[in-house]
Amino acid sequence: MKIDILTIFPELFASFIDNGIVFRAREKKLLEINLHNIRSFTTDKHHQVDDYPFGGGAGMVMKPEPLYEAITSVLGEDKAPVVYFTPQGRLLNQDIISRYKDKERIIFLCGHYKEIDQRIRDMLVTDEISIGDYVLSGGEVPAMVMIDAVSRLIDGVIGDIESAMTDSHQRGLLGTPHYTRPAKFMDREVPDVLISGNHAEIDKWRQMKARELTMTRRPDLYYGKS
Ligand code: ADE
């Protein structure tokens, strides 16, 4: 998968792409990430990327020309989703993430200030995504959220694909509690079933815990299902 990120803060991604799962995916050549500074697609001497909104109101709007130049020149003749991060977008979830995992190419557009000029959304953006019902200062953190969640699903990135598939949300339920050694920590013991060696019982216990947790914490997920 090849991901192009269009941003006015490319430096924000430096440590993110050089660590953890994303770095591992890049090292294995399963993921390529290219950063593009939107400012370098401006033609004026001040490299201006924003301007006042027509009709007035607070905040600045990202200008269409640099965004148009950036998207079209990065995309070239390719067809690829152009994802714009905005609180007005579709709420991101594991289902949506899964739909991107086999894409050859994705363009991520990180906005700033108020929003971007609507004409770019109408002409070039294919998908609009929100990572939650709150307002961030820009699309960089949402882009990192999505890259992290998508890259761990790409075949070959995580050694134990089973581990990714049984995580919270992958089956529409939250995850189960996890324990590691020591078996007793400050008077608190690991549930007996987990050290019983009985795998059928362990599966049943985990399933029950996942259901309990989902029912109490996320009734929307639980009762939205069967
Ligand atoms: N940009 C600003 N806030 C956002 C959000 N909640 N999700 C996606 N992009 C955003």
Side-chain angles (χ1 to χ4, degrees):
M1 179 184 293
K2 179 169 158 186
I3 295 178
D4 291 276
I5 305 169
L6 311 185
T7 169
I8 55 169
F9 293 128
E11 318 80 46
L12 277 180
F13 291 88
S15 141
F16 172 71
I17 66 171
D18 277 344
N19 288 282
I21 201 94
V22 175
F23 181 66
R24 215 178 334 144
R26 288 175 58 227
E27 254 195 337
K28 288 185 178 175
K29 307 266 180 263
L30 297 168
L31 178 65
E32 177 186 325
I33 296 187
N34 301 306
L35 289 154
H36 309 273
N37 193 334
I38 295 168
R39 223 174 267 287
S40 65
F41 293 91
T42 53
T43 50
D44 64 307
K45 77 168 190 251
H46 297 296
H47 302 293
Q48 194 183 345
V49 290
D50 63 328
D51 210 335
Y52 293 99
F54 276 120
M60 302 290 267
V61 178
M62 284 183 85
K63 291 167 65 60
E65 306 94 319
L67 293 174
Y68 187 89
E69 263 317 296
I71 298 169
T72 54
S73 69
V74 163
L75 204 47
E77 297 295 304
D78 279 4
K79 284 225 176 312
V82 177
V83 180
Y84 169 54
F85 296 101
T86 164
Q88 301 165 3
R90 285 175 45 151
L91 197 56
L92 190 60
N93 60 28
Q94 194 66 27
D95 252 10
I96 298 180
I97 294 288
S98 311
R99 281 183 228 151
Y100 287 93
K101 82 179 186 71
D102 296 316
K103 299 271 184 228
E104 260 173 51
R105 210 177 163 191
I106 314 175
I107 314 286
F108 286 138
L109 173 57
C110 307
H112 257 269
Y113 314 107
K114 211 179 171 113
E115 283 285 353
I116 63 172
D117 189 285
Q118 182 63 35
R119 289 163 291 187
I120 295 298
R121 296 168 78 167
D122 297 340
M123 293 165 75
L124 296 174
V125 168
T126 60
D127 309 355
E128 298 198 343
I129 286 181
S130 163
I131 63 159
D133 293 335
Y134 40 81
V135 179
L136 300 165
S137 60
E140 284 75 13
V141 170
M144 290 184 216
V145 166
M146 188 145 172
I147 292 168
D148 185 292
V150 171
S151 52
R152 59 192 291 286
L153 295 184
I154 298 172
D155 285 346
V157 170
I158 290 191
D160 186 358
I161 190 69
E162 182 61 19
S163 138
M165 298 310 281
T166 54
D167 278 348
S168 289
H169 293 294
Q170 197 65 51
R171 291 175 307 176
L173 290 177
L174 300 182
T176 172
H178 294 285
Y179 297 86
T180 185
R181 285 184 289 186
K184 186 170 178 185
F185 173 68
M186 297 175 84
D187 290 338
R188 287 168 184 261
E189 291 182 13
V190 171
D192 284 341
V193 62
L194 295 181
I195 35 191
S196 68
N198 184 334
H199 289 286
E201 283 302 311
I202 293 172
D203 280 351
K204 226 159 79 186
W205 182 86
R206 286 183 168 155
Q207 187 60 225
M208 178 191 72
K209 285 289 179 190
R211 282 180 182 280
E212 263 175 29
L213 192 67
T214 313
M215 213 187 304
T216 51
R217 204 165 282 175
R218 294 294 304 275
D220 56 319
L221 285 182
Y222 192 81
Y223 295 104
K225 302 252 148 208
S226 56

